[in-house]
Amino acid sequence: MNSFGRIFRASIFGESHGAGIGVLIDGCPAGLPLAEEDLRRDLDRRRSGAPGTTPRREPDAPQIRSGIFQGRTTGAPILLIINNRDVDSRDYESMRWTPRPGHADFVAEKKYGGFHDYRGSGHFSGRLTAGLVMAGAVARKLIRPVQVTAVLEEAGGFPQIEEAVQDAVDNKDSIGGVVGCRVTGLPAGLGEPFFDSVESLMSHAVFAIPAIKGIEFGSGFRLARMRGSEANDVILDAKGTTATNHAGGIHGGITNGNDLVFRVVVKPTSSIPREQRTVDMRTGQPAVLQVEGRHDACIALRMPVVVEAATALVLADLMRVAGLIPPVVTE
Amino acid sequence: MNSFGRIFRASIFGESHGAGIGVLIDGCPAGLPLAEEDLRRDLDRRRSGAPGTTPRREPDAPQIRSGIFQGRTTGAPILLIINNRDVDSRDYESMRWTPRPGHADFVAEKKYGGFHDYRGSGHFSGRLTAGLVMAGAVARKLIRPVQVTAVLEEAGGFPQIEEAVQDAVDNKDSIGGVVGCRVTGLPAGLGEPFFDSVESLMSHAVFAIPAIKGIEFGSGFRLARMRGSEANDVILDAKGTTATNHAGGIHGGITNGNDLVFRVVVKPTSSIPREQRTVDMRTGQPAVLQVEGRHDACIALRMPVVVEAATALVLADLMRVAGLIPPVVTE
Amino acid sequence: MNSFGRIFRASIFGESHGAGIGVLIDGCPAGLPLAEEDLRRDLDRRRSGAPGTTPRREPDAPQIRSGIFQGRTTGAPILLIINNRDVDSRDYESMRWTPRPGHADFVAEKKYGGFHDYRGSGHFSGRLTAGLVMAGAVARKLIRPVQVTAVLEEAGGFPQIEEAVQDAVDNKDSIGGVVGCRVTGLPAGLGEPFFDSVESLMSHAVFAIPAIKGIEFGSGFRLARMRGSEANDVILDAKGTTATNHAGGIHGGITNGNDLVFRVVVKPTSSIPREQRTVDMRTGQPAVLQVEGRHDACIALRMPVVVEAATALVLADLMRVAGLIPPVVTE
Amino acid sequence: MNSFGRIFRASIFGESHGAGIGVLIDGCPAGLPLAEEDLRRDLDRRRSGAPGTTPRREPDAPQIRSGIFQGRTTGAPILLIINNRDVDSRDYESMRWTPRPGHADFVAEKKYGGFHDYRGSGHFSGRLTAGLVMAGAVARKLIRPVQVTAVLEEAGGFPQIEEAVQDAVDNKDSIGGVVGCRVTGLPAGLGEPFFDSVESLMSHAVFAIPAIKGIEFGSGFRLARMRGSEANDVILDAKGTTATNHAGGIHGGITNGNDLVFRVVVKPTSSIPREQRTVDMRTGQPAVLQVEGRHDACIALRMPVVVEAATALVLADLMRVAGLIPPVVTE
């Protein structure tokens, strides 16, 4: 349930205010050079620090606990851990019974009968995506020379992202955004016609990222207004190069050799420093909630590397299933 | 690869111009009344016949081949088959080496080394969705009183769907559309925080449907332009009823007890009765293609019941995993 | 639940006295020549006819319903069906409430709440192994030049099998046996250290065969009485050839390049033409049962090809996971 | 590949001479009281110390790193870790190229291209079973009041186990043994007819334990010499109580309400303090090997709790699939 992949498989674990978070990777070929530095590069892109991101400062120092020997993967499961440091759970006790709108507080209470770790969203925290990012850093090395690049295209509806974020901060509010992702260098033929279509697997992985509420491939929702004569990507040569890429590089669920292109929408951060109405779960009576704690005004700022990670996970697995990544890799 | 589900599991098979198509269902509880009539109701909604749909006329008579005894499911695998009748493969020989733009012809050639059944798109055909629909008809009965309803909200960008379709037919072109889906009566607590989030599973299943290129939950891509203060769904009572439903009934990947709401985009049918440019796969030289055969001008017209089916599959599985559907059902 | 395999995956279905039985195979590479004749060869080895086997005479004519085009696999799911012909269900009505000792009658009633197809053991019937055999026939072609050979080594404790069987028939009784299986030509390196050890996967598949109650690899239970100095297989060369094969070709869960060797025990057929004591499930009172119907005195006679099939399934999947069988095969 | 289970799922990781070993558990219901003390009880039974066990002394102090809050499971993944302490890898450098007979050294070299952690058998080490034992300790609490009990029935062929072990030590040799396991209190109806038969799942899990080379259910291999009239377990009452239990509590792959009974054979420890012949993997030339390091003369002594753990894992998963363990447990 917290795992993904058929052969290259990642399982995430941890809590925001517990001992730490991390990921267990199975099915990674032997022989891949891997150092903590490889993980840190991607983790740094996910970290807070910029305006509009949470003041919580975590060094996010990754530890490799198994599966690596003499600087290379061994073929055995790889356990990657980040200990939590900058934990301050005081604010959460006061919010115990007043679920934050837009958060998982209410569903967690229902699903786990009140036994969940409610501090800092516990296992539901966006902090868990650091585990995804570490798995993605491994996957990214495996799939080379395939390249995955995601960027925040807009925030709050504006391409001037810094201004939009500052405006949200000034208004004690939050904004969402749109992240675009492009994969270059992909071979044709990955994916399966139906339940393992590339769209199925990519969306499955991407929707594991908290706050993402939509995904579209190629021209996506704009296809609803296009004619077939416009939407069909004309094939230009025997390699399958197309004149346009409305399909986002996927036909019949399978990569067609063009760039894989998709966009996801990130909802505005749910935690905002304003009073909000909610309910007291014990009494069912209305309540007013002032979310304390440290939060991002625009979590979308930190998303691109997480989307890249989810994408790399899917591709590493697809390439393993297709036999394109051997059980032992050598560089 | 052609299967979906953890406990309630559907596997589709078949080809457009082969012996037939169908679905094998495993993990269905014993005791559910099931007759071919139950399948026919949903299959009829998927069938062609209306203006803008293919002139191919298949009776789509479902056969129950295993797993039913004395009118009820036995708990053993259920094999559902539809034989193909109205098959005319003549047109496909002439298109053997000139892949139709927007179709799976090119990727199939690459992936299967030329061994695929290329007649009528073979295993890639939209006809395979009849198998999905049959599995969905079973799932739908299982999850009662949960109700799944999908409608075609717009086609070619217009809510006046009939006119838009007629216009496409008149122009020898095709159009896409947007299908909205709503699930009522769902309990809170289904789904898992990460890789088995409801969004992950729903999108995984829905993208198994050919021609779907995007999905959004609740307010979806509009969330990119909203503020947190607007997007957060205020909780009104101890049952979790929210004042708005921007989240589409899912928080933290888990159903929150409100309606599950999502929309998908259907691309315009790739096969259009116009000359199109393509390439000859043998020579790599440009070619001109006139797609013959019988095709839909707006495949989106036939999509709502398929989307419902994919949705019901996911929910039946989630409810089995949660123990909400017992191994033996009695009515 | 009725499926096995990670990439090369078989799902069996059907009932003894229903419309038929069969198997759905997913993950088979494209390009493999496959005709009904390929299936018939193995099915004939499973069929009854010899003394000591059931008088039920089924032609067992396999039908290929999907996944084959122009005599070769397409890469799409392969549906293989055998219709039932020689069905006589009269005897089963009288036994409806008096479970046959050694059979699944009692557990089926408990598990499926009385909704199971009780005729001829329904989905529990040994007849379902014909589906396994068909999937095995495909797998066997895939893994060439690896060869799988199983033989009935003894029946009722005697190597003189014919006499032992005749003696059982004469005594209105039944006997079990031991089937030995040997795989030659296997590469070293298949399998995984823990939960996907070759022993784990082989036993998982083999215990899907009704009536098998034990398995041992290499010297098996005799290892309990051996010393390490005797049991250790001395390695003779860089290919890993060992002087002895007490390990049955598997070390650390992984094939070591020597022959894979294991033995399974088949219990005596439960259905015997004698009066037996049982209970009436409706009243809980003792009852006397005379099993009618047509049964094998020594089902083990028909087992070798079934054991071979289960073995080939596992190996085909392991070789796909290891990338040793490509997505497209050509001969 | 290092994971097992459909809903209740355990993934093991670690190396004998690396940072540590452990297990990640997913699908554990919320609300189960769990303390490190619960794990220690079972770990202590697995530890060395008795005559005939390795002189390596590991405190095996388990750490709970996620999934527990205020003394109870939260429903999120549970990470359990044991750090390695008493590591001495000097002996392994000298054996780098001379694979120990009976060990995974040779296959690891082949499978992982020389990148595996060869110190102390690395990921292949029996030490990894401490992870299994921890997962089993959790599973055991979940399935209560079902009780799992395994005992070493014989070692080296003798029921006088202490003497047999001492004799092996005196002879610088090792011995194997037979472990019997009995489960009481099981409900009827667990398991599935074919690939998820209780025998399939139990053997799959049990063969994940290094050194186990055979398994038999109920009367097992003795059934090969029995008649049906003797082997059939007569049903005595409506609860399914049988007069004998030759089937080991399983009919048709499904628990029948009687005790689940099976036996496994443990091969003699491969590492023995004698000179043994082997080969030099670099040259293919014969070599003589003196295994240094610290080893068990009879690893079977430490096996019962490991077998219990594997058994409890399977049962916890089967009971979750059957809906017999709810998503939230309360005591």
Side-chain angles (χ1 to χ4, degrees), chain C residues 194, chain D residues 12-22 43 46-47 56-61 81-87 120-134 210 299 302:
Chain C
F194 288 94
Chain D
I12 60 176
F13 58 83
E15 286 87 16
S16 180
H17 290 211
I21 61 94
L43 285 169
R46 199 203 72 94
R47 282 176 66 197
R56 177 172 175 180
R57 289 291 168 272
E58 283 285 0
D60 280 353
I81 284 185
I82 295 174
N83 289 327
N84 290 331
R85 297 281 177 78
D86 184 12
V87 170
S121 299
H123 183 59
F124 287 86
S125 169
R127 180 154 173 72
L128 272 281
T129 59
L132 264 182
V133 167
M134 291 192 287
I299 190 70
R302 299 165 65 188

CSV table of all heavy atoms in Angstrom, one decimal, chain C residues 194, chain D residues 12-22 43 46-47 56-61 81-87 120-134 210 299 302:
chain,number,residue,atom,x,y,z
C,194,PHE,N,15.5,-14.2,-0.6
C,194,PHE,CA,14.5,-14.6,0.4
C,194,PHE,C,13.1,-14.9,-0.2
C,194,PHE,O,13.0,-16.0,-0.7
C,194,PHE,CB,14.4,-13.5,1.4
C,194,PHE,CG,15.6,-13.5,2.3
C,194,PHE,CD1,16.7,-12.7,2.0
C,194,PHE,CD2,15.7,-14.4,3.4
C,194,PHE,CE1,17.8,-12.8,2.8
C,194,PHE,CE2,16.8,-14.5,4.1
C,194,PHE,CZ,17.9,-13.6,3.9
D,12,ILE,N,12.1,-7.6,4.1
D,12,ILE,CA,13.3,-7.6,4.9
D,12,ILE,C,14.5,-7.0,4.1
D,12,ILE,O,14.6,-7.0,2.9
D,12,ILE,CB,13.7,-9.1,5.3
D,12,ILE,CG1,13.9,-10.0,4.2
D,12,ILE,CG2,12.6,-9.6,6.2
D,12,ILE,CD1,14.3,-11.4,4.6
D,13,PHE,N,15.5,-6.6,4.9
D,13,PHE,CA,16.7,-5.9,4.4
D,13,PHE,C,17.8,-6.1,5.3
D,13,PHE,O,17.7,-6.5,6.5
D,13,PHE,CB,16.4,-4.4,4.2
D,13,PHE,CG,16.0,-3.7,5.4
D,13,PHE,CD1,17.0,-3.3,6.3
D,13,PHE,CD2,14.7,-3.5,5.7
D,13,PHE,CE1,16.6,-2.6,7.5
D,13,PHE,CE2,14.3,-2.9,6.9
D,13,PHE,CZ,15.3,-2.5,7.8
D,14,GLY,N,19.0,-5.7,4.8
D,14,GLY,CA,20.2,-5.7,5.7
D,14,GLY,C,21.3,-6.7,5.3
D,14,GLY,O,21.1,-7.6,4.4
D,15,GLU,N,22.4,-6.6,6.0
D,15,GLU,CA,23.5,-7.5,5.8
D,15,GLU,C,24.1,-7.9,7.1
D,15,GLU,O,24.1,-7.2,8.1
D,15,GLU,CB,24.6,-6.8,4.9
D,15,GLU,CG,24.2,-6.6,3.4
D,15,GLU,CD,23.4,-5.4,3.2
D,15,GLU,OE1,23.4,-4.5,4.0
D,15,GLU,OE2,22.8,-5.3,2.1
D,16,SER,N,24.8,-9.0,7.1
D,16,SER,CA,25.4,-9.6,8.3
D,16,SER,C,26.4,-8.7,8.9
D,16,SER,O,26.5,-8.5,10.1
D,16,SER,CB,26.0,-10.9,8.0
D,16,SER,OG,26.6,-11.5,9.1
D,17,HIS,N,27.3,-8.1,8.0
D,17,HIS,CA,28.4,-7.2,8.5
D,17,HIS,C,28.2,-5.8,8.1
D,17,HIS,O,29.2,-5.0,8.1
D,17,HIS,CB,29.7,-7.8,8.0
D,17,HIS,CG,30.1,-9.1,8.7
D,17,HIS,ND1,31.4,-9.5,8.9
D,17,HIS,CD2,29.3,-10.1,9.2
D,17,HIS,CE1,31.4,-10.7,9.5
D,17,HIS,NE2,30.2,-11.1,9.6
D,18,GLY,N,27.0,-5.4,7.7
D,18,GLY,CA,26.7,-4.0,7.4
D,18,GLY,C,26.3,-3.2,8.6
D,18,GLY,O,26.6,-3.6,9.7
D,19,ALA,N,25.5,-2.2,8.3
D,19,ALA,CA,25.0,-1.4,9.5
D,19,ALA,C,24.0,-2.1,10.3
D,19,ALA,O,23.9,-1.9,11.5
D,19,ALA,CB,24.3,-0.1,8.9
D,20,GLY,N,23.2,-3.0,9.7
D,20,GLY,CA,22.3,-3.7,10.5
D,20,GLY,C,21.3,-4.5,9.6
D,20,GLY,O,21.5,-4.6,8.4
D,21,ILE,N,20.3,-5.0,10.2
D,21,ILE,CA,19.2,-5.7,9.5
D,21,ILE,C,17.9,-5.3,10.0
D,21,ILE,O,17.8,-4.6,11.0
D,21,ILE,CB,19.4,-7.3,9.7
D,21,ILE,CG1,19.3,-7.6,11.2
D,21,ILE,CG2,20.8,-7.7,9.2
D,21,ILE,CD1,17.9,-8.1,11.6
D,22,GLY,N,16.8,-5.7,9.3
D,22,GLY,CA,15.5,-5.3,9.8
D,22,GLY,C,14.4,-5.7,8.9
D,22,GLY,O,14.6,-6.5,7.9
D,43,LEU,N,13.0,-12.6,19.6
D,43,LEU,CA,14.4,-12.5,19.2
D,43,LEU,C,15.3,-13.3,20.1
D,43,LEU,O,16.2,-13.9,19.7
D,43,LEU,CB,14.8,-11.1,19.2
D,43,LEU,CG,14.3,-10.2,18.0
D,43,LEU,CD1,14.6,-8.7,18.2
D,43,LEU,CD2,14.9,-10.7,16.7
D,46,ARG,N,15.6,-16.8,19.2
D,46,ARG,CA,16.5,-17.0,18.0
D,46,ARG,C,17.9,-16.8,18.2
D,46,ARG,O,18.8,-17.3,17.4
D,46,ARG,CB,16.0,-16.0,16.9
D,46,ARG,CG,16.4,-16.4,15.4
D,46,ARG,CD,16.5,-15.1,14.5
D,46,ARG,NE,17.6,-14.3,14.9
D,46,ARG,CZ,18.8,-14.4,14.3
D,46,ARG,NH1,19.0,-15.2,13.3
D,46,ARG,NH2,19.8,-13.6,14.7
D,47,ARG,N,18.3,-16.2,19.3
D,47,ARG,CA,19.7,-15.8,19.6
D,47,ARG,C,20.5,-17.0,19.8
D,47,ARG,O,20.1,-18.1,20.2
D,47,ARG,CB,19.8,-14.9,20.7
D,47,ARG,CG,19.4,-13.4,20.4
D,47,ARG,CD,19.4,-12.6,21.6
D,47,ARG,NE,20.8,-12.4,22.1
D,47,ARG,CZ,21.1,-12.0,23.3
D,47,ARG,NH1,20.1,-11.7,24.1
D,47,ARG,NH2,22.3,-11.9,23.7
D,56,ARG,N,29.3,-15.8,18.0
D,56,ARG,CA,29.0,-14.4,17.8
D,56,ARG,C,27.9,-14.0,18.7
D,56,ARG,O,26.8,-14.6,18.8
D,56,ARG,CB,28.5,-14.1,16.3
D,56,ARG,CG,28.1,-12.7,16.1
D,56,ARG,CD,27.9,-12.4,14.6
D,56,ARG,NE,27.4,-11.1,14.3
D,56,ARG,CZ,27.0,-10.6,13.1
D,56,ARG,NH1,27.2,-11.3,12.0
D,56,ARG,NH2,26.6,-9.3,13.0
D,57,ARG,N,28.1,-12.9,19.5
D,57,ARG,CA,27.1,-12.5,20.5
D,57,ARG,C,26.5,-11.1,20.1
D,57,ARG,O,27.2,-10.1,20.3
D,57,ARG,CB,27.8,-12.4,21.9
D,57,ARG,CG,28.2,-13.7,22.5
D,57,ARG,CD,26.9,-14.5,22.9
D,57,ARG,NE,27.3,-15.9,23.2
D,57,ARG,CZ,27.4,-16.9,22.3
D,57,ARG,NH1,27.1,-16.6,21.1
D,57,ARG,NH2,27.8,-18.1,22.7
D,58,GLU,N,25.3,-11.1,19.6
D,58,GLU,CA,24.7,-9.9,19.3
D,58,GLU,C,23.6,-9.6,20.3
D,58,GLU,O,22.7,-10.5,20.5
D,58,GLU,CB,24.1,-10.0,17.9
D,58,GLU,CG,25.1,-9.9,16.7
D,58,GLU,CD,25.5,-8.5,16.5
D,58,GLU,OE1,25.0,-7.6,17.2
D,58,GLU,OE2,26.4,-8.3,15.6
D,59,PRO,N,23.5,-8.5,20.8
D,59,PRO,CA,22.4,-8.2,21.8
D,59,PRO,C,21.1,-8.2,21.1
D,59,PRO,O,20.0,-8.4,21.7
D,59,PRO,CB,22.8,-6.8,22.3
D,59,PRO,CG,23.7,-6.2,21.3
D,59,PRO,CD,24.4,-7.3,20.7
D,60,ASP,N,21.1,-7.9,19.8
D,60,ASP,CA,19.8,-7.9,19.0
D,60,ASP,C,18.8,-7.0,19.6
D,60,ASP,O,17.6,-7.4,19.9
D,60,ASP,CB,19.3,-9.3,18.8
D,60,ASP,CG,20.0,-10.1,17.7
D,60,ASP,OD1,20.8,-9.5,17.0
D,60,ASP,OD2,19.7,-11.3,17.6
D,61,ALA,N,19.2,-5.8,19.9
D,61,ALA,CA,18.2,-4.8,20.5
D,61,ALA,C,17.4,-4.2,19.4
D,61,ALA,O,17.9,-3.4,18.6
D,61,ALA,CB,19.0,-3.8,21.3
D,81,ILE,N,14.4,-2.1,13.2
D,81,ILE,CA,15.8,-2.2,12.9
D,81,ILE,C,16.6,-2.8,14.0
D,81,ILE,O,16.3,-2.6,15.2
D,81,ILE,CB,16.4,-0.8,12.6
D,81,ILE,CG1,15.9,-0.3,11.2
D,81,ILE,CG2,17.9,-0.8,12.7
D,81,ILE,CD1,16.5,1.0,10.8
D,82,ILE,N,17.6,-3.6,13.7
D,82,ILE,CA,18.6,-4.1,14.7
D,82,ILE,C,20.0,-3.7,14.1
D,82,ILE,O,20.3,-4.1,13.0
D,82,ILE,CB,18.5,-5.6,14.9
D,82,ILE,CG1,17.2,-6.0,15.5
D,82,ILE,CG2,19.7,-6.1,15.7
D,82,ILE,CD1,17.0,-7.5,15.6
D,83,ASN,N,20.7,-2.9,14.9
D,83,ASN,CA,22.0,-2.6,14.5
D,83,ASN,C,23.0,-3.7,14.7
D,83,ASN,O,22.9,-4.5,15.7
D,83,ASN,CB,22.5,-1.3,15.2
D,83,ASN,CG,21.8,-0.1,14.8
D,83,ASN,OD1,21.5,0.1,13.6
D,83,ASN,ND2,21.6,0.8,15.8
D,84,ASN,N,23.9,-3.9,13.8
D,84,ASN,CA,25.0,-4.9,14.0
D,84,ASN,C,26.0,-4.4,15.0
D,84,ASN,O,26.4,-3.2,14.9
D,84,ASN,CB,25.7,-5.3,12.7
D,84,ASN,CG,24.7,-6.1,11.8
D,84,ASN,OD1,23.8,-6.8,12.3
D,84,ASN,ND2,24.9,-5.9,10.5
D,85,ARG,N,26.5,-5.2,15.9
D,85,ARG,CA,27.5,-4.8,16.8
D,85,ARG,C,28.8,-5.6,16.7
D,85,ARG,O,29.9,-5.1,16.5
D,85,ARG,CB,27.0,-4.9,18.3
D,85,ARG,CG,25.8,-4.1,18.6
D,85,ARG,CD,26.2,-2.6,18.9
D,85,ARG,NE,25.1,-1.8,19.1
D,85,ARG,CZ,24.4,-1.8,20.2
D,85,ARG,NH1,24.7,-2.5,21.3
D,85,ARG,NH2,23.3,-1.0,20.4
D,86,ASP,N,28.6,-6.9,16.9
D,86,ASP,CA,29.8,-7.8,17.1
D,86,ASP,C,30.2,-8.3,15.7
D,86,ASP,O,30.1,-9.5,15.4
D,86,ASP,CB,29.4,-9.0,18.0
D,86,ASP,CG,30.5,-9.9,18.3
D,86,ASP,OD1,31.7,-9.5,18.0
D,86,ASP,OD2,30.3,-11.0,18.8
D,87,VAL,N,30.7,-7.4,14.9
D,87,VAL,CA,31.1,-7.7,13.5
D,87,VAL,C,32.6,-7.9,13.4
D,87,VAL,O,33.4,-7.1,13.9
D,87,VAL,CB,30.7,-6.6,12.6
D,87,VAL,CG1,31.2,-6.8,11.2
D,87,VAL,CG2,29.2,-6.4,12.5
D,120,GLY,N,30.5,-12.2,5.7
D,120,GLY,CA,29.6,-12.9,6.5
D,120,GLY,C,28.3,-13.3,5.8
D,120,GLY,O,27.2,-13.4,6.4
D,121,SER,N,28.4,-13.6,4.5
D,121,SER,CA,27.3,-14.0,3.6
D,121,SER,C,26.4,-12.8,3.3
D,121,SER,O,25.4,-12.9,2.6
D,121,SER,CB,26.4,-15.1,4.2
D,121,SER,OG,27.2,-16.2,4.4
D,122,GLY,N,26.7,-11.6,3.8
D,122,GLY,CA,26.0,-10.4,3.4
D,122,GLY,C,24.5,-10.5,3.6
D,122,GLY,O,24.0,-10.8,4.7
D,123,HIS,N,23.8,-10.2,2.5
D,123,HIS,CA,22.3,-10.2,2.6
D,123,HIS,C,21.8,-11.7,2.6
D,123,HIS,O,20.6,-11.9,2.9
D,123,HIS,CB,21.8,-9.5,1.3
D,123,HIS,CG,20.3,-9.4,1.3
D,123,HIS,ND1,19.6,-8.8,2.3
D,123,HIS,CD2,19.4,-9.8,0.4
D,123,HIS,CE1,18.3,-8.8,1.9
D,123,HIS,NE2,18.1,-9.5,0.8
D,124,PHE,N,22.6,-12.7,2.3
D,124,PHE,CA,22.2,-14.1,2.4
D,124,PHE,C,22.3,-14.6,3.8
D,124,PHE,O,21.9,-15.8,4.0
D,124,PHE,CB,23.1,-14.9,1.4
D,124,PHE,CG,22.8,-14.7,0.0
D,124,PHE,CD1,23.5,-13.7,-0.7
D,124,PHE,CD2,21.9,-15.5,-0.7
D,124,PHE,CE1,23.2,-13.5,-2.1
D,124,PHE,CE2,21.7,-15.4,-2.1
D,124,PHE,CZ,22.4,-14.3,-2.8
D,125,SER,N,22.8,-13.9,4.7
D,125,SER,CA,23.1,-14.4,6.0
D,125,SER,C,21.8,-14.9,6.7
D,125,SER,O,20.8,-14.2,6.6
D,125,SER,CB,23.8,-13.3,6.9
D,125,SER,OG,23.8,-13.7,8.2
D,126,GLY,N,22.0,-15.9,7.5
D,126,GLY,CA,20.9,-16.4,8.4
D,126,GLY,C,20.5,-15.3,9.4
D,126,GLY,O,19.4,-15.3,9.9
D,127,ARG,N,21.4,-14.3,9.6
D,127,ARG,CA,21.1,-13.2,10.5
D,127,ARG,C,19.9,-12.4,10.0
D,127,ARG,O,19.2,-11.8,10.8
D,127,ARG,CB,22.3,-12.3,10.6
D,127,ARG,CG,22.1,-11.1,11.5
D,127,ARG,CD,23.4,-10.6,12.1
D,127,ARG,NE,23.2,-9.4,12.8
D,127,ARG,CZ,22.6,-9.3,14.0
D,127,ARG,NH1,22.2,-10.4,14.6
D,127,ARG,NH2,22.4,-8.1,14.6
D,128,LEU,N,19.6,-12.4,8.7
D,128,LEU,CA,18.4,-11.7,8.2
D,128,LEU,C,17.1,-12.3,8.8
D,128,LEU,O,16.1,-11.6,8.8
D,128,LEU,CB,18.4,-11.8,6.7
D,128,LEU,CG,19.1,-10.8,5.8
D,128,LEU,CD1,18.3,-9.5,5.7
D,128,LEU,CD2,20.5,-10.6,6.3
D,129,THR,N,17.1,-13.5,9.3
D,129,THR,CA,15.9,-14.1,9.8
D,129,THR,C,15.5,-13.3,11.1
D,129,THR,O,14.3,-13.5,11.5
D,129,THR,CB,16.1,-15.6,10.1
D,129,THR,OG1,17.1,-15.8,11.0
D,129,THR,CG2,16.3,-16.4,8.8
D,130,ALA,N,16.3,-12.5,11.7
D,130,ALA,CA,15.9,-11.7,12.8
D,130,ALA,C,14.8,-10.7,12.4
D,130,ALA,O,13.9,-10.4,13.1
D,130,ALA,CB,17.1,-11.0,13.4
D,131,GLY,N,14.9,-10.3,11.1
D,131,GLY,CA,13.8,-9.4,10.6
D,131,GLY,C,12.5,-10.2,10.5
D,131,GLY,O,11.5,-9.7,10.8
D,132,LEU,N,12.6,-11.4,10.0
D,132,LEU,CA,11.4,-12.3,9.9
D,132,LEU,C,10.8,-12.4,11.3
D,132,LEU,O,9.6,-12.4,11.4
D,132,LEU,CB,11.8,-13.6,9.4
D,132,LEU,CG,11.7,-14.0,7.9
D,132,LEU,CD1,12.1,-15.4,7.6
D,132,LEU,CD2,10.2,-13.8,7.5
D,133,VAL,N,11.7,-12.7,12.2
D,133,VAL,CA,11.2,-12.9,13.6
D,133,VAL,C,10.5,-11.7,14.1
D,133,VAL,O,9.4,-11.8,14.8
D,133,VAL,CB,12.4,-13.4,14.5
D,133,VAL,CG1,12.0,-13.3,16.0
D,133,VAL,CG2,12.8,-14.8,14.1
D,134,MET,N,11.0,-10.5,13.9
D,134,MET,CA,10.3,-9.3,14.3
D,134,MET,C,8.9,-9.2,13.7
D,134,MET,O,8.0,-8.8,14.3
D,134,MET,CB,11.2,-8.1,14.1
D,134,MET,CG,12.4,-8.1,15.0
D,134,MET,SD,13.3,-6.5,15.0
D,134,MET,CE,14.0,-6.5,13.3
D,210,PRO,N,16.7,-19.4,5.1
D,210,PRO,CA,17.9,-20.2,4.6
D,210,PRO,C,18.0,-21.5,5.3
D,210,PRO,O,17.6,-21.7,6.4
D,210,PRO,CB,19.0,-19.3,5.0
D,210,PRO,CG,18.5,-17.9,5.1
D,210,PRO,CD,17.1,-18.1,5.6
D,299,ILE,N,22.3,-25.2,13.1
D,299,ILE,CA,21.4,-24.0,13.0
D,299,ILE,C,20.0,-24.3,13.2
D,299,ILE,O,19.2,-23.4,13.6
D,299,ILE,CB,21.6,-23.4,11.5
D,299,ILE,CG1,21.0,-22.0,11.5
D,299,ILE,CG2,21.1,-24.3,10.5
D,299,ILE,CD1,21.7,-20.9,12.2
D,302,ARG,N,18.1,-23.0,16.3
D,302,ARG,CA,17.5,-21.7,16.4
D,302,ARG,C,16.4,-21.4,15.5
D,302,ARG,O,15.9,-20.3,15.3
D,302,ARG,CB,18.7,-20.7,16.1
D,302,ARG,CG,19.8,-20.8,17.0
D,302,ARG,CD,21.1,-20.1,16.5
D,302,ARG,NE,20.9,-18.7,16.4
D,302,ARG,CZ,21.8,-17.8,15.8
D,302,ARG,NH1,22.9,-18.3,15.3
D,302,ARG,NH2,21.5,-16.5,15.8
